[in-house]
Amino acid sequence: MLHFPISPKIPLVRAPQWVQQPGFRFKNSILMAAILNRTLIVPPLLRTGRYVSMADIIDISSLVSSSVIQTIDFRVFASLWCGVKDFDCFNETIGEDCRTTVWTYQIGEKDWVLDSFQPDEQLKRKKKISYVRRRRDVYQTLGPSSAAESATLLAFGSLFTSPYRGSELYIDIHEAPRDQRIQSLIKKIEFLHFVPEILSAGKEFADKNINAHFLCAQLRLLDGQFKNHWKATFLSLKQKVESLGQSPLPIHIFVMTDLPKGNWTGSYLGDLARDSDHFKLHFLREEDELVIKTSKIVVAAKHSLRFAFVPESVGGLKKHCPSERLPDVLLFIEEAVCSCASLGFVGTAGSSIAESVELMRTFGTCASQSLTAL
């Protein structure tokens, strides 16, 4: 593995920046850094007026402490290389993703072959794109003896993984049979849970605010492709609710959705909200005391700086914005609440948020969580 202190000769991998659901792309960032034997620059989650690191939200302490990977916080990296000190008070930036490559590892096929999915003419016109997708082995292309070996920093555009029209988006690495180190890492990162502060907040809300057996409904209705599938999304929820017909009334439902409450009229959500004799709906809002308290605790915990190289010269990083804006942890607390739903979970088909919740429930995150962090 690589050794610190950081110098211009230390090879690094810089992952993309994300505002919403980070887990699956972050896993791929870890995977890329391990395959290429480079230090991972832990990316930020950005929000206007506040910086929070991925490692402040997702717990990677076991990976770092066991030397599976080495990391450096993006703030530390930029401070050392660019002299930037103030990271709590900047605005979001917009970058462009590279959509031409599907990265593979040890599949055994020839490099640079055409991927099975290519954009058709309709998609090209709709998205105003013109490119050809090719499959490339990341180790052969960017590893030792490659043209990229001498590059100090590798920056990836998108590391998103999802099946799409018979192929994978950007990363197609699910196993590495000839590399036991990477094969072991793939198993280790199958599930990366949130930091204890996030998980404890979710359990606290479930125990103290709901205080009953409940169903969780994750309804993604306004973003991208999901805005075209309301009928299917609501049908799944309705079928689940009807299957709970023998449950004591009212049936408690925790709702996490991007549809504003004022727009529920005429939808199944509106029907549930009006029938207060049979259903009690629960929500979390960004301005709720629990969310604000958890945001402050996450900032104070500094997990991202606890498990990465931080030289003394970086001690002058500014810690607070004048406006005291806090990181947005609402989505992650909502996922933690859903992991505790004893009556089940209904998620939007194709949503990475739903997949994250399913993983949390599979691995029993809620059952193993205590309230000690809060």
Side-chain angles (χ1 to χ4, degrees), residues 186-290:
I186 290 173
K187 293 179 180 178
K188 286 179 182 291
I189 64 176
E190 178 184 2
F191 174 61
L192 295 175
H193 56 72
F194 294 134
V195 294
E197 293 78 8
I198 299 289
L199 298 178
S200 291
K203 183 166 176 57
E204 178 177 342
F205 184 85
D207 290 345
K208 296 183 178 180
N209 292 70
I210 302 178
N211 192 28
H213 292 290
F214 69 98
L215 169 72
C216 173
Q218 180 263 336
L219 307 172
R220 193 171 176 183
L221 301 168
L222 299 182
D223 179 39
Q225 61 168 319
F226 304 105
K227 63 180 179 289
N228 301 317
H229 301 287
W230 283 35
K231 183 177 180 179
T233 300
F234 283 132
L235 179 60
S236 296
L237 174 58
K238 186 175 182 179
Q239 291 173 339
K240 180 62 178 180
V241 169
E242 290 176 348
S243 73
L244 300 174
Q246 302 302 316
S247 299
L249 296 177
I251 296 175
H252 293 260
I253 305 175
F254 177 73
V255 180
M256 57 181 300
T257 182
D258 55 357
L259 183 67
K261 196 171 183 179
N263 295 344
W264 288 11
T265 303
S267 73
Y268 184 60
L269 267 180
D271 297 341
L272 293 175
R274 284 194 304 272
D275 191 357
S276 57
D277 292 336
H278 294 88
F279 305 101
K280 183 171 177 56
L281 305 189
H282 302 268
F283 317 90
L284 265 173
R285 301 173 181 83
E286 190 174 348
E287 63 271 19
D288 288 348
E289 179 182 354
L290 176 65

Side-chain angles (χ1 to χ4, degrees), residues 140-160:
Q140 295 180 32
T141 306
L142 303 175
S145 302
S146 72
E149 180 182 15
S150 60
T152 303
L153 174 67
L154 298 180
F156 287 89
S158 176
L159 292 175
F160 185 66

Side-chain angles (χ1 to χ4, degrees), residues 14 74-87 153:
R14 181 190 172 196
F74 179 77
R75 289 165 288 191
V76 178
F77 163 75
S79 177
L80 289 172
W81 283 37
C82 312
V84 178
K85 296 290 184 181
D86 183 358
F87 290 94
L153 174 67

Side-chain angles (χ1 to χ4, degrees), residues 14 16-18 46 92-99 156-158:
R14 181 190 172 196
Q17 302 168 349
W18 305 292
L46 296 179
E92 295 180 17
T93 57
I94 299 177
E96 298 232 356
D97 288 344
C98 174
R99 298 166 295 180
F156 287 89
S158 176

